[in-house]
Amino acid sequence: KDFIAGVKERALDTDVLKSLTPGQQVIKIVHEELTALMGGGSSRLAFAGRPPTVVLLCGLQGSGKTTTAAKLALQLRRDGRSPAIAACDLARPAAIDQLHVLGEQLEVPVYSERGAKDPVKVCNDAIKIAKQQDCNIVILDTAGRLAIDQELMKQLQTIESRVQPDEVLFVVDGMTGQDAVASAAAFNEALELDGVIMTKLDGDTRGGALLSVKHVTGVPIKFIGTGEHSDALEFFTP
């Protein structure tokens, strides 16, 4: 509604009404307003002055966090950085196995503690080992749930306050439609989000939730996932 109100205000301007092709003018206004809505804020990662930079990925289960962690690591390695991934999803043992497989394929070190109960300890241990191994960026793959619940949010808030990541990125499935908006709002309220990664945009042409997620959180869209392959992650440009 806010978006349409902005377009309407500009479209009722006398210059538009007097132009030779008002239809084209309106399309131009819609395009400019969409670009303005999707822009704002830096879409690049903010790197810490003192390495390692810590990037925390959060989101609901099934949003593609674990795969995105590997894709992001590959992207960073190609940019000349030395990333490591920490398997902090202790609720889903398969996530640890999945990360180790992906890490081997991409030649990116993966840190995990099988049988561990405290994700904060795993995060801190991973950061210490990354320093020792001269890795200048650590990606934390945290647990998700099928729906938003207090226990998950409390766990993430504890990780955020004790680990103090440089970037907190919300990973959202592009095919969840407007449900993505409610979860984005909840995560943004619980954590201080720095950006959004929207995944699975190859499976759906709408991506309309991206507009609402950006509007609700006010944080920049940093990356979009465009396929299953490890290199199918792109910097987002409005």
Side-chain angles (χ1 to χ4, degrees):
K1 284 177 184 172
D2 287 347
F3 173 75
I4 290 167
V7 170
K8 187 176 177 182
E9 191 179 332
R10 282 188 60 191
L12 290 174
D13 187 273
T14 50
D15 290 344
V16 176
L17 299 175
K18 286 178 184 171
S19 70
L20 292 172
T21 51
Q24 287 177 341
Q25 278 290 95
V26 171
I27 289 169
K28 179 172 177 279
I29 290 168
V30 170
H31 181 265
E32 286 171 356
E33 289 287 315
L34 276 175
T35 306
L37 173 61
M38 300 309 281
S42 172
S43 63
R44 298 282 158 161
L45 291 177
F47 294 102
R50 185 183 298 171
T53 296
V54 179
V55 177
L56 185 147
L57 300 184
C58 64
L60 294 179
Q61 202 170 306
S63 59
K65 276 194 309 301
T66 303
T67 319
T68 299
K71 288 178 178 179
L72 185 56
L74 178 63
Q75 175 95 276
L76 291 163
R77 206 187 71 205
R78 285 179 172 173
D79 286 347
R81 299 184 186 272
S82 52
I85 308 171
C88 309
D89 182 353
L90 308 181
R92 196 169 69 92
I96 297 175
D97 298 332
Q98 187 185 353
L99 268 183
H100 277 287
V101 169
L102 290 166
E104 277 175 35
Q105 286 172 358
L106 305 176
E107 297 176 354
V108 171
V110 173
Y111 180 81
S112 66
E113 290 180 22
R114 289 182 192 276
K117 295 279 185 279
D118 181 7
V120 175
K121 182 180 179 296
V122 176
C123 291
N124 284 322
D125 290 349
I127 293 165
K128 275 181 206 160
I129 293 208
K131 277 181 185 169
Q132 290 165 12
Q133 295 180 350
D134 289 329
C135 294
N136 53 22
I137 186 156
V138 183
I139 300 163
L140 309 177
D141 178 32
T142 63
R145 298 279 196 282
L146 290 171
I148 297 154
D149 69 16
Q150 289 307 110
E151 189 193 343
L152 169 67
M153 292 306 181
K154 203 169 179 186
Q155 186 187 91
L156 288 171
Q157 284 171 329
T158 306
I159 293 173
E160 187 186 37
S161 65
R162 295 203 195 155
V163 177
Q164 295 191 327
D166 302 287
E167 289 267 312
V168 179
L169 303 180
F170 175 62
V171 181
V172 61
D173 180 342
M175 287 158 57
T176 52
Q178 293 302 319
D179 288 348
V181 183
S183 59
F187 275 89
N188 194 40
E189 203 174 305
L191 305 166
E192 211 169 303
L193 296 182
D194 296 295
V196 174
I197 300 177
M198 187 160 265
T199 62
K200 308 181 191 178
L201 282 178
D202 55 318
D204 195 81
T205 52
R206 290 171 303 182
L210 200 59
L211 293 171
S212 306
V213 166
K214 171 75 174 74
H215 184 68
V216 164
T217 62
V219 298
I221 314 295
K222 300 232 173 186
F223 297 93
I224 52 170
T226 54
E228 290 180 17
H229 295 290
S230 299
D231 57 356
L233 187 74
E234 298 174 12
F235 278 110
F236 178 76
T237 55

